[in-house]
């Protein structure tokens, strides 16, 4: 095997001890792909991006400390603003042992989550709808470039999140129809330039109206369902792990969804499929699969938001007694 100069440079740059190169980039620059859908950004070792947080991490992946698999996991999306029509996921896991990157003990993991969940300058707890600045390393995986720790628990690879503006609100979701993402044969539309098709929407908040969920019997937290429109086009719907998926039944009939347009391709080298719509929580309204975070009723103790404080609320409370969320 012949090492090209670029490969040698890339290797040297990744070795701990050298000063990593860094640049402020747009989400579009960071998410650029080649004709296979593989990420092309390689100009610096680390990047800085700014945007709006689209989800609360613990509603997307379970941060609970564990000694199996990847252990606890943490992920949120940040969406570009103005002309920067793209978005990026920030990912972190407790255990990288299968990749040779070490692991966090339960105590270290809780501390690392806490560091990521709070603004280092004010102590403010980040929430979806905040404008943040992220500084970190990155890795391409199955169709998107994630900002992450390069699967290493050493602090040299830390991701840093800073508050720019609190509570600016979620971006207005872009209303799309499935024919913008699927062709007439119900196949994903892939455009290398990312000016159209699935790539154009990846990493962003979208709304799809007048669809139905075709396999509601599979409704459960973390499930993958399928939506369909009147043209027969379908799309994978990934449910997060927000408590609404357990508390409320699957909405029926023609509904709307507001989701993060995600990609997890079936391959790591040809990444033109695996697009899905990820809804991280649901407020039970029956018409739009989303979570607006503002419950009606104004009754303290109405845990399940059915406008009555009773034993159903108490049962949820008792069932979850003394559970703690690490890092918050
Ligand atoms: Ca992609
Ligand atoms: Ca209640």
């Amino acid at each position: 095997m012949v090492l090209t100069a670029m490969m040698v440079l890339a290797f040297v740059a990744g070795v701990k001890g050298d000063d990593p190169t860094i640049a402020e980039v747009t989400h579009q620059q960071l998410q650029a792909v080649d004709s296979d859908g593989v990420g092309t950004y390689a100009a610096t070792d680390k990047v800085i991006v700014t945007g709006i947080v689209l989800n609360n991490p613990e509603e997307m992946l379970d941060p609970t400390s564990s000694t199996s698999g990847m252990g606890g996991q943490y992920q949120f999306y940040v969406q570009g603003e103005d002309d920067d029509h793209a978005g990026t996921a920030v990912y972190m896991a407790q255990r990288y042992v299968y990749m040779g990157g070490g692991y966090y003990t339960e105590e270290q993991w809780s501390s690392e989550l806490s560091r990521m969940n709070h603004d280092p300058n004010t102590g403010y707890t980040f929430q979806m709808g905040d404008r943040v600045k992220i500084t970190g390393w990155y890795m391409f995986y199955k169709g998107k470039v994630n900002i992450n720790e390069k699967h290493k628990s050493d602090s040299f690879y830390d991701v840093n999140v800073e508050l720019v503006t609190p509570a600016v609100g979620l971006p207005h979701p872009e209303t799309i129809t499935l024919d913008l993402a699927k062709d007439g044969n119900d196949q994903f539309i892939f455009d290398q330039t990312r000016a159209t098709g699935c790539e154009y929407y990846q990493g962003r908040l979208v709304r799809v109206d007048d669809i139905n969920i075709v396999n509601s019997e599979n409704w459960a937290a973390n499930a993958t369902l399928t939506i369909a429109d009147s043209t027969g086009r379908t799309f994978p719907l990934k449910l997060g792990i927000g408590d609404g998926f357990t508390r409320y039944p699957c909405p029926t009939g023609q509904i709307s969804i507001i989701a993060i347009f995600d990609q997890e391709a079936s391959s790591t080298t040809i990444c033109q499929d695996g697009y899905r719509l990820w809804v991280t929580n649901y407020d039970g309204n029956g018409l739009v699969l989303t979570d607006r975070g503002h419950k009606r009723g104004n009754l303290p103790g109405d845990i399940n938001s059915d406008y009555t404080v009773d034993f159903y609320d108490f049962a949820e409370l008792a069932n979850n007694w003394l559970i703690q969320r690490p890092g918050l």
Side-chain angles (χ1 to χ4, degrees):
M1 180 174 158
V2 179
L3 287 176
T4 65
M6 189 174 258
M7 287 167 73
V8 172
L9 276 175
F11 177 74
V12 171
V15 171
K16 183 180 170 180
D18 295 323
D19 280 342
T21 57
I22 189 164
E24 192 152 355
V25 297
T26 64
H27 293 272
Q28 285 175 321
Q29 288 172 319
L30 186 59
Q31 298 300 331
V33 293
D34 64 17
S35 59
D36 290 328
V38 173
T40 55
Y41 182 82
T44 53
D45 302 319
K46 297 175 72 171
V47 292
I48 300 167
V49 298
T50 301
I52 309 293
V53 176
L54 295 186
N55 66 283
N56 295 329
E58 61 277 3
E59 294 177 349
M60 182 168 262
L61 296 174
D62 189 352
T64 306
S65 178
S66 154
T67 55
S68 66
M70 303 295 289
Q73 295 184 86
Y74 171 100
Q75 180 164 273
F76 69 89
Y77 264 94
V78 61
Q79 176 171 315
E81 295 183 86
D82 302 323
D83 295 338
D84 189 11
H85 199 282
T88 303
V90 177
Y91 177 82
M92 185 172 74
Q94 184 182 6
R95 291 164 50 84
Y96 305 120
V97 288
Y98 303 114
M99 303 94 162
Y103 66 94
Y104 295 98
T105 64
E106 182 171 356
E107 191 180 357
Q108 289 167 339
W109 176 242
S110 179
S111 164
E112 188 68 352
L113 287 172
S114 180
R115 191 183 65 75
M116 291 285 281
N117 280 325
H118 299 97
D119 175 42
N121 301 309
T122 62
Y124 172 88
T125 304
F126 296 120
Q127 189 159 332
M128 59 183 186
D130 290 337
R131 179 180 292 123
V132 297
K133 181 172 107 173
I134 298 155
T135 304
W137 302 78
Y138 61 90
M139 277 180 79
F140 177 80
Y141 183 69
K142 293 190 171 180
K144 57 187 194 282
V145 175
N146 300 314
I147 293 181
N148 64 18
E149 307 173 297
K150 295 182 84 72
H151 299 168
K152 292 179 173 65
S153 57
D154 189 299
S155 62
F156 183 70
Y157 296 97
D158 277 356
V159 176
N160 293 289
V161 189
E162 291 169 88
L163 186 65
V164 177
T165 319
V168 294
L170 285 172
H172 193 74
E174 188 169 348
T175 299
I176 65 169
T177 46
L178 293 187
D179 62 338
L180 295 170
K182 283 284 198 79
D183 65 20
N185 296 317
D186 202 25
Q187 300 298 306
F188 293 116
I189 298 171
F190 173 79
D191 172 4
Q192 177 191 348
T193 71
R194 311 192 79 243
T196 64
C198 293
E199 288 292 315
Y200 183 60
Y201 301 108
Q202 181 190 303
R204 295 179 63 85
L205 204 59
V206 299
R207 176 180 179 125
V208 193
D209 293 319
D210 197 25
I211 53 90
N212 65 299
I213 296 173
V214 301
N215 50 354
S216 57
E217 68 275 13
N218 296 331
W219 173 263
N222 214 29
T224 300
L225 307 177
T226 301
I227 61 168
D229 70 8
S230 59
T231 73
R233 289 179 174 85
T234 66
F235 217 84
L237 166 63
K238 170 80 175 163
L239 301 185
I241 56 174
D243 55 20
F245 300 116
T246 307
R247 189 174 290 150
Y248 306 113
C250 182
T252 57
Q254 296 307 110
I255 62 163
S256 301
I257 71 170
I258 295 173
I260 298 168
F261 203 111
D262 180 51
Q263 183 183 16
E264 186 149 321
S266 56
S267 146
T268 54
T269 53
I270 305 290
C271 303
Q272 304 176 346
D273 66 356
Y275 299 100
R276 57 191 188 180
L277 296 167
W278 204 337
V279 180
T280 57
N281 202 2
Y282 175 46
D283 62 21
N285 68 73
L287 295 180
V288 185
L289 189 60
T290 188
D291 172 31
R292 294 158 296 179
H294 303 285
K295 307 290 173 72
R296 292 289 306 270
N298 194 27
L299 286 174
D302 181 15
I303 290 170
N304 64 356
S305 298
D306 65 352
Y307 319 122
T308 308
V309 179
D310 60 14
F311 258 104
Y312 290 104
D313 302 303
F314 185 77
E316 272 203 43
L317 180 71
N319 200 34
N320 294 299
W321 188 250
L322 292 182
I323 292 178
Q324 286 187 308
R325 184 64 81 195
L328 282 173

